[in-house]
Amino acid sequence: LPFIALIALGIGCLGVIALSIGRKQSLETSIEDKTTGINVDGGQMCCASCGIAEADNVKLKKCADCESVRYCSIRCQRKHRPEHRKGCKKRTAELRDEILFKQPESSYLGDCPICCLPLSIDPRNSPLQTCCSTVICDGCEYANRLRQEKECLEVTCPFCRHPVPTSIEEAENNRMKRVAANDPVALTQMGCIHSVVGESNKALEYLSKAAGLGDAGGHHCLSNMYLDGEGVKKDMKKGAYHAEEAAIKGHPTARFNLGVIEWNNGTTERNIGMMERAAKHFIISANLGHGEAMKKVKTCYSKGLVSKEDFAKTLRAHQAVLDAARSSQREAAAEAKKLGLSFSHMHSMPS
């Protein structure tokens, strides 16, 4: 019996020691989390400042930027801001990069609504119909024109069947109707037109409205204006922001431009991290079919910034996108263009 009692006492002591260690680690973690303001496990349900738990009469709100901590009031949030600022900024940047470097399923143009094949990212092969602001591939437009000529039909839009404009004025009227309807694609086109003729204020107005409606082309054109200082004060930060928004939505050229910005900054500052970020941008753009981006990926591979496996994977993805955009109708349209045959009527090119 004494022997059994000693064993039981020993087990009890070990349990107390383990419990004490666990409480100490938990306290240290709690202190560390409160110091940085970052919730490591994502399960915090108490105010990061005063520690009050969420209850029926206490509703906690997440930090709007990092979404890692909760507060019971604006007062607590302001009080905790000095401790939380550094961790919040780091976590916000991480969340942004997660979204930024996610590979889009396709380019912002998507598929042709008639043949359902991916649209070419070359705007010369994917004209925009002014009557309905729809992008149609050259192949479907060419096939539609041949059918109408063969059957002696009225020349109409391949998508909405609206009669094609016969003059610049009529095309402009169609475009303005789409602008009045707040069509983001039409707004972007109007912004580009005003930018070309030097009317920067109107261009900025139309493009800002299009970008506000989520148009990738609008963000891309705004980015170019701010990066080049075209009609506006040069602002690299705003330019990069709009380029990122366009890239997230699947704009391959905007993505390529981001890669160039990161590459130039990395080369100037000799920062390998920036050059690696540039390589990621080039890979994503190449996967969407951007030819110049593919050349940059080759350069990154030669400099050891891209692994052999990633380089081979990008090559295959790039070629697959190009092959998916091919069809007999599009090849026939390309041959017709080479022969100087015109089958487009007062169309615009997507941004």
Side-chain angles (χ1 to χ4, degrees):
L1 289 176
F3 180 73
I4 296 174
L6 286 173
I7 293 175
L9 181 61
I11 294 174
C13 291
L14 289 175
V16 171
I17 293 172
L19 183 61
S20 299
I21 293 174
R23 286 179 177 176
K24 183 179 180 181
Q25 290 177 345
S26 177
L27 180 61
E28 290 175 352
T29 303
S30 177
I31 293 172
E32 183 179 357
D33 291 349
K34 193 167 183 179
T35 301
T36 60
I38 294 296
N39 177 21
V40 178
D41 60 6
Q44 179 181 344
M45 293 299 290
C46 61
C47 178
S49 179
C50 67
I52 188 172
E54 187 172 52
D56 293 338
N57 60 337
V58 178
K59 298 297 181 183
L60 303 179
K61 293 184 178 180
K62 291 183 179 180
C63 172
D65 294 326
C66 67
E67 298 184 352
S68 298
V69 295
R70 294 177 172 85
Y71 299 102
C72 63
S73 65
I74 298 296
R75 181 181 178 183
C76 277
Q77 186 174 8
R78 289 175 180 171
K79 183 180 178 181
H80 191 250
R81 187 174 297 166
E83 299 177 28
H84 179 55
R85 184 179 291 113
K86 185 177 179 180
C88 181
K89 186 176 181 180
K90 180 181 178 182
R91 182 55 182 159
T92 301
E94 291 174 352
L95 292 173
R96 179 67 173 177
D97 280 354
E98 288 178 10
I99 299 172
L100 180 60
F101 289 107
K102 183 179 180 180
Q103 178 70 52
E105 294 182 1
S106 64
S107 79
Y108 74 108
L109 291 172
D111 299 338
C112 173
I114 297 177
C115 66
C116 297
L117 293 177
L119 286 164
S120 170
I121 63 173
D122 187 344
R124 295 171 297 180
N125 299 328
S126 303
L128 176 71
Q129 313 297 314
T130 58
C131 51
C132 56
S133 294
T134 303
V135 180
I136 306 292
C137 74
D138 269 355
C140 290
E141 188 171 27
Y142 181 59
N144 181 64
R145 181 64 188 278
L146 291 179
R147 180 185 64 84
Q148 290 171 343
E149 288 184 351
K150 182 178 180 180
E151 300 178 9
C152 299
L153 301 173
E154 180 185 13
V155 181
T156 59
C157 169
F159 184 72
C160 69
R161 302 305 182 188
H162 187 280
V164 299
T166 56
S167 65
I168 296 177
E169 291 75 14
E170 191 176 349
E172 184 67 17
N173 289 335
N174 287 343
R175 187 180 292 110
M176 290 309 298
K177 288 179 181 178
R178 299 306 307 161
V179 169
N182 278 335
D183 188 313
V185 178
L187 289 167
T188 297
Q189 286 298 315
M190 285 300 296
C192 292
I193 291 171
H194 285 293
S195 178
V196 169
V197 299
E199 297 176 350
S200 301
N201 290 335
K202 288 186 177 180
L204 186 63
E205 179 184 349
Y206 281 115
L207 292 175
S208 297
K209 194 171 183 179
L213 293 171
D215 185 62
H219 279 294
H220 173 58
C221 294
L222 274 178
S223 170
N224 290 338
M225 289 185 70
Y226 283 115
L227 292 175
D228 299 334
E230 181 185 338
V232 295
K233 184 179 179 181
K234 191 171 184 178
D235 191 327
M236 296 299 292
K237 188 174 181 180
K238 285 186 178 180
Y241 166 76
H242 285 291
E244 286 182 0
E245 289 298 311
I248 289 170
K249 296 178 185 300
H251 201 298
T253 305
R255 176 73 67 175
F256 175 75
N257 291 344
L258 281 176
V260 172
I261 293 172
E262 293 278 10
W263 183 268
N264 292 340
N265 291 340
T267 303
T268 303
E269 301 178 15
R270 296 183 179 180
N271 188 323
I272 192 67
M274 289 183 177
M275 298 179 75
E276 289 176 347
R277 286 173 64 89
K280 291 180 181 179
H281 285 304
F282 292 142
I283 287 174
I284 295 174
S285 182
N287 288 341
L288 294 174
H290 199 284
E292 290 300 317
M294 191 65 244
K295 294 179 183 178
K296 288 291 186 180
V297 174
K298 293 179 182 178
T299 302
C300 292
Y301 172 65
S302 66
K303 293 182 178 294
L305 296 170
V306 176
S307 67
K308 183 177 181 180
E309 293 76 13
D310 289 340
F311 179 58
K313 184 179 178 180
T314 304
L315 273 174
R316 290 193 295 269
H318 179 75
Q319 190 59 47
V321 169
L322 298 181
D323 292 341
R326 292 194 178 99
S327 72
S328 57
Q329 287 185 350
R330 295 182 184 184
E331 291 174 359
E335 290 297 323
K337 283 184 177 180
K338 290 180 181 179
L339 296 175
L341 300 178
S342 176
F343 51 88
S344 298
H345 296 268
M346 303 297 172
H347 296 321
S348 302
M349 293 182 182
S351 302

